[in-house]
Amino acid sequence: MLRLILIYLPKTFNLASRPEVSTPLVSLRRLAEGYWLKQSSISPYAGSMYHGSPLLLSLLGPLTVKRIEGQPNHLLCSDADDSLHILGYSLVFVIADIISALLIRATGHTLQMAYRQSLNSLDIVDLLKSSDLLSSGDIAALVYLWNPFTIAACVGLSTSPVENLVVILALHGACKGLVPLAAFGWVMATHLSLYPAILIIPVIVLLGYGPDTPPRKLFLQKGYGKNGDSHSSDNCGQQETNQSKAEVTFSWRPVIHFLFWSSLWSTYVLVLCSISVKPHGSLWEMFQRYQLDILSFIISALHHTNTVWQPCMKIRLVVIKPGDVSEKTLLNLCYSKRTYGFILTMEDMSPNIGVLWYFFAEVFDFFRSFFMIVFHLNILFMILPLAIRLKHRPCFLAFIYIAISSMLKSYPSVGDSALYLGLLGLFLDELADMKFSFFLLCGYIGVSLLSPVMHNLWIWRGTGNANFYYATGMAYACLQIILVVESVSAVLNHDRKLRKISATKPRDGNS
C-alpha cells in the first residue's frame, strides 16, 4: 500500500528520472519506447533507447500503451482509464517485491534449520544466538520490504524488482533442492542482466553440498575423534564416521539435473526470443553478427585500436555476403549486441550511482577497450578464490558475488543494492560481530541524501560539476567494499570460533 501511495504522489516526487534508480537497462520509460517502436513495425533495438530483454518487452510492454498515448510525462494520468493502467503495471512491481520477500523468508528458515542441525551434530548448538521474536528469515524479509532502496526501485518503476525476483528464485530453488526452479531462476536472471551468470557456482555448490554449514573439517574431526574414543562400541563409532563423511560428500546427481534443466530453459528462452524478434530478422543471424563483434572487440583491445568496432566491419565484409542476410536485418542493430554488447561495452555514458561512467568518459579512446576488459575481468578474478574459501557457505558466497557485481557492473542502481542488503539479513548470527556496522549504516544514509543534492547542484543549478556527483559514487563504492570485506572477515572469524569450541568440547567432556 505504501508503494502504491508513493507512486501516485505529485510530479515533484518523480523517482523514474533519478539516475540512482533508473538506468538505461532498467528504465520503464525506455521499455515503453521500445514497445512503441515494436508496435510501429520497427525493431525495438534500432534506436538507442531500449537494451533489455525481448521477453520483458513482450510481458511489460502492453501495460505501457495507455501510458504513452495518454500522458507523455510517464507519471500521472488524468482520466480513470489511464489511472487503471498505472495501477496495472505498478502492481507488477509491488507483487514482485512481495514474492521476493516471501522467498527470502522461506530461504532463511531453510538455512537456519540446516545450520541448527549442523551445530547439533557438533554439540555446539548453544553458539547459535537466534532472536526469540523473529528469525533471520523474517528479519531479512522485513529488511528487503522496508529498505528505502527497494521502495525507491519499485516507486521509480524500474524493472529491478523483476530481476531481483528471478535471482532470489534461483537461490530459493537451490536451497530447497528444487532443481527445475533453480535452473529457471538462474537462466532468467542471466538472460535479463547477464551478471547473475556467476551465480552458477554457488547454485551448484548448494545443490551438491546443501545449505550453509560450519567448516566441513569439523565434521570429519568429530567423526574420527568419536571413532577413536569409543572403545566400548565400535558400531556407534563407525556410524558417527559415516554420518560425518556424508556431511562432506558432494552429490553430482542434482548438479547434472541442474545442467540439463538449464539447457532446457535456455533453449526455451532462445525460442521465445526468436519468436519475439522474428519480424525484425532472425535471432541466429543476429547472434552470428554479434560473435564477429566480440571477436573484433578482443582484437582491438589487444592492439589498442582507435575505434573498437572498426575491425568488425571488415570481418563482416568478408564473412557475410549481401545475399545471406536480409536488408531489414542489416538495417536493424542486432539483439545480442544491443543487450549484452551494450552491457559489456558501456556505450551510454549517462551518470549513475556507479564509478565506471566517469572513468570511461575521461579515459582516452586509445585505452578504452583495454580498460573495459580489465574492469569486467576484475569480477571474474574474484570468483575462484572466494569459491574455494567459502565453499561450505554457498548462500553467503552468492551474497558476496551479488554485492561485488553490483559494485562493478556497468549500469548499477539502488535496486541492485536492495537485493544484497536484503540477503544480508539471512546471516545475522554469523555477522553478529561484524565491525563498522554503524559506520556503514550512517554511510549508506549519507550517500542516499547527498547523491540527489550533488546531482541537483551539477545538472540543474549549475553551481557544481561532475566531480561533485562522482564523489558520492566513489563514497558509495567504498562503502560496498567495506561491507564485503568486513562481512567476509566476520564469517571467517565465526568459523574460527566454531573450530575453537569444537576443539575444546571433547576435552571438557573427558575432564
Side-chain angles (χ1 to χ4, degrees):
M1 183 61 69
L2 175 63
R3 286 165 165 79
L4 295 177
I5 293 175
L6 292 177
I7 289 173
Y8 279 91
L9 283 179
K11 188 178 178 180
T12 54
F13 198 74
N14 186 10
L15 292 175
S17 60
R18 295 300 312 165
E20 301 88 0
V21 178
S22 181
T23 67
L25 293 178
V26 300
S27 173
L28 190 67
R29 290 183 175 183
R30 290 177 176 255
L31 188 144
E33 180 71 20
Y35 186 75
W36 184 86
L37 292 174
K38 184 179 179 181
Q39 292 298 103
S40 302
S41 300
I42 304 174
S43 173
Y45 304 102
S48 60
M49 289 297 294
Y50 186 65
H51 304 281
S53 166
L55 299 183
L56 209 58
L57 192 69
S58 300
L59 292 176
L60 299 181
L63 299 177
T64 64
V65 174
K66 286 290 183 181
R67 190 179 179 86
I68 300 174
E69 297 175 356
Q71 184 67 20
N73 65 2
H74 298 272
L75 182 64
L76 293 176
C77 297
S78 57
D79 55 13
D81 222 16
D82 291 337
S83 298
L84 289 178
H85 277 79
I86 289 182
L87 182 63
Y89 52 70
S90 301
L91 281 176
V92 172
F93 302 118
V94 174
I95 293 173
D97 279 345
I98 294 175
I99 295 176
S100 298
L102 293 177
L103 292 176
I104 289 177
R105 180 176 181 270
T107 304
H109 290 171
T110 302
L111 290 176
Q112 192 169 15
M113 289 179 59
Y115 197 67
R116 187 179 294 274
Q117 290 177 359
S118 301
L119 294 181
N120 273 330
S121 62
L122 294 174
D123 296 331
I124 51 176
V125 70
D126 53 340
L127 186 67
L128 191 62
K129 301 176 182 179
S130 58
S131 175
D132 296 333
L133 298 177
L134 295 174
S135 63
S136 60
D138 296 331
I139 295 176
L142 291 176
V143 168
Y144 183 81
L145 274 181
W146 293 99
N147 189 346
F149 289 164
T150 311
I151 297 175
C154 181
V155 174
L157 298 179
S158 70
T159 58
S160 296
V162 179
E163 297 178 1
N164 294 345
L165 173 61
V166 290
V167 172
I168 296 171
L169 197 67
L171 297 179
H172 174 73
C175 285
K176 289 288 188 178
L178 304 174
V179 179
L181 185 64
F184 173 77
W186 178 76
V187 169
M188 288 303 300
T190 304
H191 171 70
L192 292 179
S193 57
L194 185 63
Y195 288 98
I198 62 177
L199 295 180
I200 189 174
I201 296 179
V203 168
I204 287 178
V205 177
L206 266 172
L207 294 174
Y209 282 123
D212 295 22
T213 61
R216 295 186 176 89
K217 291 182 179 180
L218 297 181
F219 295 99
L220 291 177
Q221 293 173 359
K222 176 179 178 297
Y224 291 139
K226 285 195 174 185
N227 191 20
D229 295 337
S230 59
H231 300 286
S232 60
S233 178
D234 294 337
N235 293 332
C236 180
Q238 186 66 29
Q239 183 179 359
E240 291 287 344
T241 304
N242 293 335
Q243 182 180 359
S244 301
K245 289 183 178 180
E247 296 283 348
V248 297
T249 302
F250 187 84
S251 178
W252 286 99
R253 184 173 181 179
V255 175
I256 296 175
H257 289 173
F258 172 78
L259 296 177
F260 167 75
W261 278 102
S262 297
S263 60
L264 191 64
W265 287 120
S266 300
T267 304
Y268 186 61
V269 168
L270 287 177
V271 170
L272 292 179
C273 290
S274 179
I275 295 174
S276 179
V277 301
K278 188 176 181 180
H280 312 288
S282 170
L283 186 67
W284 174 246
E285 292 172 353
M286 293 179 178
F287 270 107
Q288 283 181 329
R289 296 174 64 208
Y290 181 60
Q291 289 173 0
L292 299 176
D293 291 339
I294 288 294
L295 178 61
S296 65
F297 177 75
I298 296 175
I299 293 175
S300 63
L302 295 176
H303 293 280
H304 301 286
T305 55
N306 292 329
T307 56
V308 177
W309 301 105
Q310 183 177 359
C312 175
M313 302 305 298
K314 298 179 181 179
I315 298 177
R316 285 178 184 167
L317 292 176
V318 176
V319 178
I320 300 179
K321 298 179 182 180
D324 293 341
V325 184
S326 63
E327 182 180 358
K328 193 173 184 180
T329 305
L330 289 175
L331 291 176
N332 291 296
L333 295 173
C334 60
Y335 149 71
S336 50
K337 175 183 174 181
R338 277 303 180 185
T339 53
Y340 304 134
F342 183 79
I343 296 174
L344 296 176
T345 58
M346 199 174 179
E347 300 175 8
D348 195 323
M349 293 289 105
S350 57
N352 54 59
I353 198 63
V355 295
L356 299 187
W357 66 272
Y358 188 84
F359 178 84
F360 286 105
E362 296 293 333
V363 74
F364 292 108
D365 291 338
F366 185 78
F367 300 104
R368 176 181 172 84
S369 54
F370 170 74
F371 282 107
M372 195 72 67
I373 293 179
V374 169
F375 274 104
H376 287 300
L377 288 180
N378 194 21
I379 300 177
L380 300 179
F381 285 154
M382 303 182 191
I383 292 178
L384 188 59
L386 288 172
I388 294 174
R389 190 65 182 88
L390 298 173
K391 62 180 181 296
H392 61 288
R393 296 187 181 274
C395 275
F396 182 76
L397 180 64
F399 155 74
I400 295 297
Y401 282 176
I402 293 172
I404 291 175
S405 62
S406 300
M407 177 176 54
L408 296 176
K409 67 191 308 185
S410 302
Y411 306 98
S413 67
V414 294
D416 304 317
S417 302
L419 176 60
Y420 70 76
L421 289 177
L423 297 177
L424 183 66
L426 297 175
F427 315 102
L428 291 179
D429 298 315
E430 293 85 347
L431 302 178
D433 298 328
M434 188 178 75
K435 300 178 181 178
F436 305 115
S437 56
F438 182 73
F439 171 77
L440 289 172
L441 176 62
C442 296
Y444 273 98
I445 295 175
V447 168
S448 302
L449 297 177
L450 284 177
S451 182
V453 173
M454 296 303 177
H455 186 267
N456 183 45
L457 291 176
W458 171 33
I459 298 297
W460 301 109
R461 297 185 180 274
T463 57
N465 53 37
N467 294 324
F468 284 50
Y469 185 72
Y470 184 64
T472 60
M474 291 290 292
Y476 185 64
C478 292
L479 290 174
Q480 294 179 96
I481 293 173
I482 296 174
L483 176 65
V484 170
V485 173
E486 291 302 324
S487 59
V488 172
S489 300
V491 168
L492 295 181
N493 290 333
H494 182 79
D495 290 341
R496 294 189 188 99
K497 184 184 298 185
L498 290 180
R499 292 192 189 97
K500 292 180 181 179
I501 296 177
S502 179
T504 57
K505 203 79 174 180
R507 298 174 184 175
D508 296 340
N510 291 335
S511 60

